[in-house]
């Protein structure tokens, strides 16, 4: 008599994702070298080989952050975990924090700081703008914060915020400065030591071109001391840097199991960045940005970020009157496999965000997204001259040769 149940004969085919060209705000296209590293066999999280990999990762990460900071490592979690780690470790309940908000991620930092018990002062700028050092100085004088939090590359608007001057001002007034480099790291210069940054976090899936899953962080010696001398326990057990440090440092005390494969990937991504060279990588991002910008001008799409502060890796452009956001983005995905980002917050339905991040910042991507957008816009009756967008981009490439 047959005793087998139906469930023993089930086949569930493996998941096979379609090929996409990821030109949105992240995740960005991953270097095949990084994907290959993720398929390597697992090691135990205290295996000497894994421990050596953690040490090597810290060294490589210091070079990418351009810092000598001892307290430099990858938090297990995405960029938002890094944001939370920085805030909850520096802030004790009742501490004052000044947060600069000119987009979605500054707004998120306010929420995180409030949940950590900070007395938050938020200053605002319209989406697409950046802050002047003088207005931040005025706010610091009024609220005398322990920490100033600011986003270096605001992914929701494409705004590139200079932070060096602001760091100086914060220090003159006895405050620490924490910066969000989730989208900036490995796409535009990030100089943690030269700028005097006290705390920084980033993410793996933007210009580092690694899957999402880790958040690199670094704390200055002074910030590390502030953390060591806290009167209260860090609100988050998982993100307590003192405990994490005992695992990532020489003690190797178990705290949580490191995501092994993600750490392989991260090490490989850092190696790829350093092999290319940071300056060469920044120049590549800039060249592809200029080519894209020349192309979208021909399509009649205006940049929504103020001139002079446009991130090369995140191009935020206005959607023309009468053109439906989703109609275009759905067609880009269906017909070309291209993903671009829509607008966030007040820019919902009004903006497209074209990411040229890390491994994805390439000439072939610039040309395919320009010609696909041109086809979509022309089919919807938007006036343009066929072929002009890619031709404009090619002029930029020709000049660069
Ligand atoms: C993507 C992003 C984050 C959040 O990172 P997640 O990986 O989505 O958690 C934070 N800040 C900025 C500027 C970002 O672009």
């Amino acid at each position: 008599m047959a005793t087998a149940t139906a469930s023993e004969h089930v086949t569930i085919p493996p998941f096979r994702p379609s090929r996409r060209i990821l030109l949105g705000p992240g995740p960005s296209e991953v270097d095949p070298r990084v994907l290959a590293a993720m398929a390597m066999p697992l090691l135990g999280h205290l295996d000497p080989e894994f421990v050596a990999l953690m040490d090597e990762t810290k060294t490589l990460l210091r070079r990418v952050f351009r810092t000598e900071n001892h307290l430099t490592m990858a938090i297990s979690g995405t960029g938002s975990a890094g944001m939370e780690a920085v805030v909850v470790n520096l802030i004790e309940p009742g501490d004052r924090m000044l947060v600069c908000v000119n987009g979605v991620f500054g707004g998120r930092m306010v929420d995180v700081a409030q949940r950590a018990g900070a007395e938050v002062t938020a200053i605002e700028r319209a989406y697409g703008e950046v802050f002047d050092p003088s207005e931040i100085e005025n706010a610091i004088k009024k609220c005398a914060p322990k920490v100033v939090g600011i986003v270096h590359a605001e992914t929701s608007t494409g705004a590139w915020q200079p932070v060096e001057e602001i760091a100086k001002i914060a220090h003159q007034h006895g405050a620490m400065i924490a910066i969000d480099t989730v989208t900036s790291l490995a796409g535009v210069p990030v100089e943690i030591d030269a700028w005097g940054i006290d705390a920084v976090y980033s993410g793996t899936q933007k210009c580092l071109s690694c899957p999402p899953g880790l958040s690199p962080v670094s704390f200055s010696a002074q910030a590390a001391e502030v953390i060591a001398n806290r009167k209260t326990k860090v609100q988050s057990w998982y993100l307590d840097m003192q405990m994490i440090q005992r695992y990532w440092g020489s003690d190797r005390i178990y705290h949580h199991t490191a995501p092994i494969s993600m750490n392989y990937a991260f090490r490989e991504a850092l190696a790829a960045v350093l092999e290319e060279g940071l300056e060469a990588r920044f120049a590549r991002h800039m060249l592809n940005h200029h080519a894209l910008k020349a192309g979208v001008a021909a399509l009649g799409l205006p940049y929504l970020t103020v001139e002079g502060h446009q991130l090369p890796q995140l191009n935020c452009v206005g959607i023309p009157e009468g053109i439906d956001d989703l109609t275009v983005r759905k067609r880009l995905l269906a017909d070309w496999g291209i993903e671009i980002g829509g607008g966030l917050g007040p820019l919902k339905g009004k903006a497209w965000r074209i990411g040229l991040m890390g491994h994805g910042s390439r000439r072939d991507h610039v040309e395919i997204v320009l010609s696909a957008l041109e086809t979509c816009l022309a089919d919807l009756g938007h006036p343009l001259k066929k072929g002009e967008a890619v031709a404009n981009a090619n002029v930029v490439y020709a000049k660069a040769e």
Side-chain angles (χ1 to χ4, degrees):
M1 203 179 90
T3 55
T5 60
S7 67
E8 287 174 56
H9 300 286
V10 165
T11 33
I12 300 173
F15 177 63
R16 296 251 183 254
S18 298
R19 280 230 164 237
R20 299 289 195 222
I21 300 173
L22 297 174
L23 301 180
S28 64
E29 186 175 302
V30 174
D31 189 331
R33 163 180 183 175
V34 172
L35 288 177
M38 295 186 84
M40 292 295 122
L42 280 199
L43 291 166
H45 74 111
L46 292 172
D47 188 295
E49 286 183 21
F50 187 70
V51 165
L53 177 134
M54 291 167 86
D55 285 343
E56 189 190 6
T57 299
K58 285 195 281 190
T59 305
L60 299 177
L61 178 56
R62 285 188 190 108
R63 286 168 63 187
V64 173
F65 268 141
R66 292 182 162 162
T67 183
E68 303 283 320
N69 285 344
H70 177 72
L71 192 52
T72 302
M73 63 189 66
I75 295 286
S76 306
T78 64
S80 306
M83 181 189 288
E84 191 132 25
V86 162
V87 171
V88 298
N89 282 278
L90 294 181
I91 291 290
E92 298 195 52
D95 284 345
R96 287 188 296 275
M97 180 160 174
L98 174 67
V99 183
C100 309
V101 183
N102 58 349
V104 168
F105 294 103
R108 183 173 298 181
M109 205 190 284
V110 169
D111 192 5
V112 168
Q114 285 170 340
R115 287 165 191 249
E119 203 182 288
V120 178
T121 301
I123 52 171
E124 289 187 30
R125 269 282 188 160
Y127 274 50
E129 296 180 1
V130 295
F131 289 90
D132 287 334
S134 62
E135 62 191 308
I136 294 181
E137 180 157 35
N138 289 338
I140 292 177
K141 281 180 183 161
K142 276 191 204 129
C143 70
K146 178 183 188 183
V147 181
V148 176
I150 192 160
V151 178
H152 185 219
E154 181 49 80
T155 322
S156 61
T157 69
W160 185 358
Q161 172 72 54
V163 294
E164 187 173 8
E165 184 70 26
I166 294 165
K168 279 201 192 88
I169 291 168
H171 291 157
Q172 279 161 13
H173 295 275
M176 289 185 285
I177 180 155
I179 66 170
D180 176 321
T181 65
V182 175
T183 282
S184 52
L185 192 66
V188 294
V190 171
E191 303 274 352
I192 296 310
D193 286 1
W195 296 344
I197 303 301
D198 296 287
V200 57
Y201 58 90
S202 189
T204 44
Q205 78 272 28
K206 312 228 173 156
C207 294
L208 288 167
S209 286
C210 186
L214 291 178
S215 176
V217 297
S218 184
F219 295 86
S220 68
Q222 193 212 341
E225 207 176 297
V226 166
I227 295 171
N229 294 322
R230 289 176 61 101
K231 292 184 198 72
T232 58
K233 273 191 179 178
V234 171
Q235 174 215 28
S236 164
W237 179 90
Y238 196 71
L239 299 173
D240 184 329
M241 287 308 299
Q242 300 256 63
M243 290 161 85
I244 295 172
Q245 202 180 350
R246 272 177 235 134
Y247 173 44
W248 274 81
S250 47
D251 298 352
R252 303 292 170 192
I253 294 169
Y254 165 69
H255 176 250
H256 66 276
T257 310
I260 306 294
S261 311
M262 266 314 297
N263 278 280
Y264 294 171
F266 184 43
R267 181 216 165 270
E268 213 59 33
L270 291 171
V273 167
L274 291 167
E275 280 180 9
E276 178 176 13
L278 286 169
E279 295 303 328
R281 195 173 179 89
F282 302 151
R284 174 167 61 82
H285 280 83
M286 199 49 91
L287 174 61
N288 290 318
H289 162 68
H290 285 143
L292 181 81
K293 193 171 173 181
V296 296
L299 300 178
L301 310 179
Y303 271 68
L304 300 184
T305 321
V306 289
E307 197 60 47
H309 295 281
Q310 295 162 356
L311 287 165
Q313 64 271 51
L314 197 287
N315 298 268
C316 186
V317 297
I319 301 174
E321 273 294 312
I323 300 291
D324 179 57
D325 169 25
L326 273 181
T327 304
V328 173
R329 281 196 288 133
K330 278 186 182 156
R331 181 159 178 216
L332 288 177
L333 195 66
D335 290 359
W336 292 272
I338 296 174
E339 177 182 282
I340 65 169
L344 290 181
L347 295 180
K348 190 169 189 300
K350 297 189 180 139
W352 287 320
R353 291 179 301 148
I354 305 170
L356 293 171
M357 296 181 172
H359 191 66
S361 176
R362 293 207 308 266
R363 181 173 182 167
D364 56 335
H365 286 167
V366 169
E367 292 188 12
I368 194 175
V369 74
L370 285 174
S371 80
L373 273 173
E374 181 185 272
T375 303
C376 292
L377 290 170
D379 288 354
L380 291 168
H382 179 66
L384 48 80
K385 222 165 101 200
K386 280 250 175 182
E388 196 181 15
V390 170
N392 278 6
N394 283 334
V395 169
V396 172
Y397 288 117
K399 274 194 196 143
E401 267 161 19

